[in-house]
Amino acid sequence: MTTTVLPSGAPRPTADRTTVGEPLTLPLFRALSGTLAGHPYLKVVVDRAEDTWHLLDTAVHPFHVDYIATRILGMTPAELDARLDAFNASVYTDPGRRFLLGVLSLHAEEDTEGRERPFLVLETTEADTMNGPLLEEFYTFVRHRLDGRLPLLLKPANHGQEHELTVISDVRVPRILSHELFGNRTRTPLNPGEAAGRLRHFRTPEEYAAGAGQLGWSDIVAMPCLPDDVPRVAGFINTAPSTPLSHTNVLASGWGIPNAIVRDLERLIEADGLDGAWVRYEVTDDDVSLVRLAQPPTPSAPAWHQHRIRLRTPLLADADPLPLRRLRRTDQDRYGTKAANLGELHHVLEHREADLTGYYGRPRPPRPDLYSHLAARLGVPQPASAAQLRTAAADFVAATVTAPDGIALPFALQHRFLISSPVLQQAIGKLKMALELDAVDAVDPLCLQLQHLIRQVPMPDEVTRPIIAALPDGPDTGHRLVVRSSSNAEDLPGFSAAGVYDSISTVHGAEELLDAVRQVWASLLSPRSVRLRHQAGISLDDAYMGVIIQRYAPAELGGVLVTCNPTRRSDFRNVYLNCSPGSPETVVDGSTLPMQYLYNTVEGGGRTVALGSSREDLPATTRSGLAQLALTGRLLQSHFSDTNVDQPLDIEWLMTDQGGFRLVQIRPYAR
């Protein structure tokens, strides 16, 4: 047995090696390891030809392939860059490969007597296609070279490896799945950021309700599950499992504040007296830290006080309700962003003219582009022309998803209703005055009064008639309807408004329809929405609400995907997808812990991150469909992200009982 160990410091010539005859022990592991997501880890390379293994110093060799190419095979960095994709294929996908690459990470669990028991986990990279025999060989090789007192588990890195291991005894190859390991993590970054603020810990919703009125922008709010109506503060901490795609984390991302899961917060509070104390809170891609400050920082206004959001002028001239399929993105100033984006989706799917390949055309050094990877994902023979890729991408998206039908109500109808009543105009004037005078105590009561008036003031025939007439089958046919918000004051850079406005999914008949439209209009004037817009510099005069009316569609599965990895912003490969049975609202509002997946849209493959409230994973055929949905989201990003194809999308979707996917919302994802 030969072990090559490269200690910290400048790399030495390949011939200068330290040969270690004894097994890898825990002290040696700790001496060489780096830290990833709070866990010590060590990169491993097994050379099957030489029957040796190499333990890489993470600080010197951050990438397996760089080490293999330059330190074992004697290639220059330029030679590696010139053939990087081919070299990656030789070490990650070739069934006859010489090298087996992976990572050893150190974890711990409590035994029955409460003592900490360390164990190691071995895994490959997510793009690795090792079959069952190779996985068993890799595990066995490493197992024989470890201190026998250290338990070792193999973690399959993707769904393909999980499938390969089903025919191999877990006695020969003990294993742990990604979601099992994820569920044991004490600290999980959700949104990177740094803040100095006062820690406010609420153990129950009742405690939060009693203290929420005293929260200010310098507070860091910690509780098991943060409510959607949490005010704008300095940072969030979840003490129970959550998802990066919850409404509160979308808000954290849009506001640029740190957010993480810290399951041992109670212990930290007891040890350091943190509750109510001023702390420095930092969340990075790999770590979460809370440090008590000796004294409060010098008071200063938060950065967002200086960052003012400006809206484009809403178009309030008379306009008719229109089918969604007749809208384009340019209609956002008349019908709202949500309706306009769905109209644009109809156009993309029906006409197939949009270039959906732009994301893959961006240079990813040292690669000039990712077109060859896109061709492989779409099944296009190589070499493929740009025209072939564009056609294949458009056909793939149109075959994978549909856009919902529905009716969009313009801002003009809301405007016409508001100006029809002197009582409403007087109430709006009072609210404007309170905002201008910064009369904080008066704003919330005035908002509540105005919302009540919007729900009660008679709606003139010139407003009700076009709403009723817009529905092809009429509202009294017995069909269940969904009424959604579509404002111009949401989905903006620096202002997402996720979960701020109302949508109603249980509407039957004309009377309920008109009541639901009123409720959506009134949500534009809720105390929280008015306060958040005022803080962002959005004038009450500029914010308007459009409405989307759709026939309710039952779904077997619903969820949200973002075309990025929200917990690792440098990752250009993966799309993050959450889902649960039924409506996507259960994912974003936190009422259900969703299943969470990562899908690689470059090399392919996916893995289950967490099962949430589910007891078992989705069937392989469904997961395969989700992989196609993830790739579709990535392709749509090229069109909906305008000039910056790296701007990720936030997409809500449904899987119908026929197994197809319907996209119900597309918007930018703040990152």
Side-chain angles (χ1 to χ4, degrees):
M1 175 189 67
T2 302
T3 303
T4 300
V5 179
L6 299 179
S8 299
R12 296 171 299 168
T14 304
D16 184 10
R17 294 181 174 180
T18 301
T19 302
V20 182
E22 68 276 7
L24 177 64
T25 62
L26 192 56
L28 179 57
F29 176 91
R30 291 187 182 278
L32 293 172
S33 63
T35 301
L36 181 65
H39 296 283
Y41 80 106
L42 188 60
K43 292 183 182 296
V44 175
V45 173
V46 170
D47 187 339
R48 302 169 73 199
E50 299 291 336
D51 194 33
T52 61
W53 72 323
H54 303 255
L55 308 179
L56 280 58
D57 180 348
T58 304
V60 179
H61 304 285
F63 301 107
H64 290 92
V65 292
D66 290 348
Y67 174 81
I68 293 171
T70 61
R71 303 302 299 272
I72 298 179
L73 302 180
M75 297 171 61
T76 66
E79 289 172 331
L80 174 61
D81 287 350
R83 53 175 301 228
L84 182 60
D85 286 332
F87 191 87
N88 280 340
S90 74
V91 295
Y92 292 126
T93 63
D94 186 350
R97 68 191 73 176
R98 171 181 170 181
F99 301 103
L100 306 179
L101 285 60
V103 172
L104 275 171
S105 56
L106 180 63
H107 303 262
E109 62 181 0
E110 288 189 356
D111 60 21
T112 55
E113 298 179 2
R115 293 173 301 192
E116 194 173 77
R117 174 179 172 268
F119 65 96
L120 291 174
V121 172
L122 177 67
E123 63 181 303
T124 71
T125 65
E126 62 187 22
D128 202 302
T129 62
M130 278 192 203
N131 58 24
L134 276 180
L135 288 167
E136 184 173 6
E137 177 186 339
F138 190 30
Y139 173 86
T140 302
F141 190 103
V142 175
R143 172 69 277 175
H144 288 167
R145 288 156 179 80
L146 288 180
D147 185 332
R149 295 168 295 181
L150 279 173
L152 176 67
L153 302 175
L154 179 70
K155 180 166 78 72
N158 50 53
H159 293 143
Q161 289 186 4
E162 287 183 28
H163 177 73
E164 288 288 331
L165 287 171
T166 56
V167 297
I168 297 176
S169 166
D170 58 7
V171 175
R172 296 204 313 268
V173 182
R175 68 206 64 164
I176 188 170
L177 300 179
S178 293
H179 64 83
E180 294 171 328
L181 199 61
F182 180 86
N184 292 327
R185 290 176 66 176
T186 302
R187 302 178 190 176
T188 304
L190 294 176
N191 191 65
E194 183 177 352
R198 183 180 54 162
L199 182 64
R200 300 292 305 278
H201 183 212
F202 302 104
R203 293 166 178 80
T204 65
E206 292 74 20
E207 284 187 15
Y208 173 81
Q214 286 74 50
L215 291 175
W217 59 262
S218 60
D219 288 324
I220 296 170
V221 180
M223 60 187 300
C225 181
L226 287 106
D228 280 355
D229 63 355
V230 63
R232 192 161 188 169
V233 291
F236 296 156
I237 298 175
N238 301 265
T239 59
S242 182
T243 166
L245 302 190
S246 67
H247 269 155
T248 50
N249 196 56
V250 173
L251 289 175
S253 180
W255 293 343
I257 63 174
N259 188 20
I261 301 170
V262 183
R263 299 173 71 174
D264 62 340
L265 185 65
E266 290 272 9
R267 181 185 64 79
L268 296 177
I269 286 175
E270 291 178 6
D272 300 326
L274 297 182
D275 195 11
W278 286 84
V279 300
R280 181 163 298 283
Y281 174 38
E282 184 175 5
V283 179
T284 66
D285 285 346
D286 300 324
D287 202 9
V288 180
S289 65
L290 273 171
V291 179
R292 180 166 182 163
L293 299 175
Q295 58 186 14
T298 303
S300 61
W304 48 265
H305 263 265
Q306 282 75 47
H307 180 58
R308 306 283 85 184
I309 304 295
R310 293 290 178 262
L311 302 185
R312 291 165 42 158
T313 302
L315 302 179
L316 305 178
D318 282 348
D320 295 325
L322 288 179
L324 287 173
R325 63 178 61 251
R326 289 183 55 187
L327 300 185
R328 298 295 302 274
R329 293 186 72 189
T330 51
D331 291 310
Q332 61 185 295
D333 299 328
R334 198 182 300 273
Y335 292 87
T337 308
K338 195 178 300 181
N341 281 345
L342 288 178
E344 187 73 16
L345 177 63
H346 272 284
H347 182 82
V348 169
L349 297 180
E350 291 171 10
H351 296 275
R352 306 190 189 186
E353 299 169 344
D355 181 5
L356 305 180
T357 67
Y359 181 86
Y360 291 85
R362 272 217 52 188
R364 310 288 172 181
R367 306 169 185 85
D369 56 61
L370 297 175
Y371 285 140
S372 62
H373 291 279
L374 176 59
R377 302 285 68 76
L378 296 174
V380 177
Q382 299 190 54
S385 68
Q388 287 175 311
L389 285 178
R390 288 182 61 166
T391 299
D395 290 345
F396 178 88
V397 169
T400 305
V401 300
T402 59
D405 288 320
I407 300 296
L409 305 184
F411 299 157
L413 284 178
Q414 184 206 22
H415 177 64
R416 194 183 304 169
F417 169 63
L418 293 177
I419 64 175
S420 72
S421 168
V423 175
L424 283 172
Q425 288 299 295
Q426 184 180 33
I428 292 172
K430 289 180 179 179
L431 179 57
K432 289 179 182 177
M433 182 64 69
L435 291 170
E436 290 174 6
L437 298 176
D438 203 20
V440 178
D441 293 338
V443 169
D444 284 12
L446 288 171
C447 287
L448 294 173
Q449 178 191 16
L450 191 48
Q451 286 189 288
H452 175 76
L453 289 172
I454 290 173
R455 296 190 184 102
Q456 299 301 321
V457 167
M459 190 181 290
D461 288 344
E462 63 180 2
V463 175
T464 60
R465 197 183 314 109
I467 296 175
I468 303 301
L471 301 176
D473 301 325
D476 294 312
T477 58
H479 294 300
R480 178 178 168 184
L481 300 175
V482 179
V483 179
R484 304 180 186 276
S485 61
S486 180
S487 172
N488 64 335
E490 61 183 327
D491 304 337
L492 304 169
F495 191 79
S496 73
V500 172
Y501 305 124
D502 287 352
S503 292
I504 304 96
S505 60
T506 55
V507 179
H508 296 85
E511 186 175 344
E512 288 188 11
L513 171 61
L514 294 176
D515 285 343
V517 170
R518 288 173 180 269
Q519 182 175 334
V520 172
W521 284 345
S523 68
L524 189 73
L525 294 161
S526 70
R528 181 173 183 240
S529 66
V530 169
R531 188 166 53 247
L532 290 175
R533 291 197 305 271
H534 184 63
Q535 290 171 346
I538 297 175
S539 168
L540 195 65
D541 287 328
D542 293 335
Y544 277 86
M545 180 65 74
V547 178
I548 299 172
I549 305 171
Q550 298 166 301
R551 185 179 295 182
Y552 173 78
E556 288 193 357
L557 201 65
V560 180
L561 68 84
V562 293
T563 57
C564 67
N565 181 351
T567 63
R568 184 166 295 278
R569 304 306 174 90
S570 60
D571 178 2
F572 63 85
R573 291 176 163 83
N574 283 292
V575 163
Y576 199 83
L577 186 149
N578 284 190
C579 60
S580 61
S583 167
E585 277 77 12
T586 61
V587 172
V588 296
D589 66 12
S591 59
T592 299
L593 279 176
M595 292 172 275
Q596 303 178 39
Y597 299 90
L598 276 172
Y599 285 99
N600 186 324
T601 58
V602 176
E603 290 89 3
R607 61 187 173 96
T608 305
V609 176
L611 290 184
S613 301
S614 302
R615 295 185 177 180
E616 58 184 25
D617 207 345
L618 293 169
T621 52
T622 303
R623 296 199 308 254
S624 178
L626 294 180
Q628 293 180 304
L629 178 64
L631 179 56
T632 294
R634 177 70 82 201
L635 293 170
L636 289 174
Q637 179 179 337
S638 295
H639 180 71
F640 281 88
S641 297
D642 296 319
T643 56
N644 179 15
V645 295
D646 276 344
Q647 170 62 48
L649 298 180
D650 176 337
I651 299 175
E652 292 187 17
W653 55 270
L654 301 173
M655 188 180 80
T656 65
D657 52 7
Q658 287 81 34
F661 294 103
R662 178 177 299 169
L663 306 190
V664 296
Q665 180 167 317
I666 298 180
R667 61 186 177 189
Y669 178 74
R671 57 181 302 183

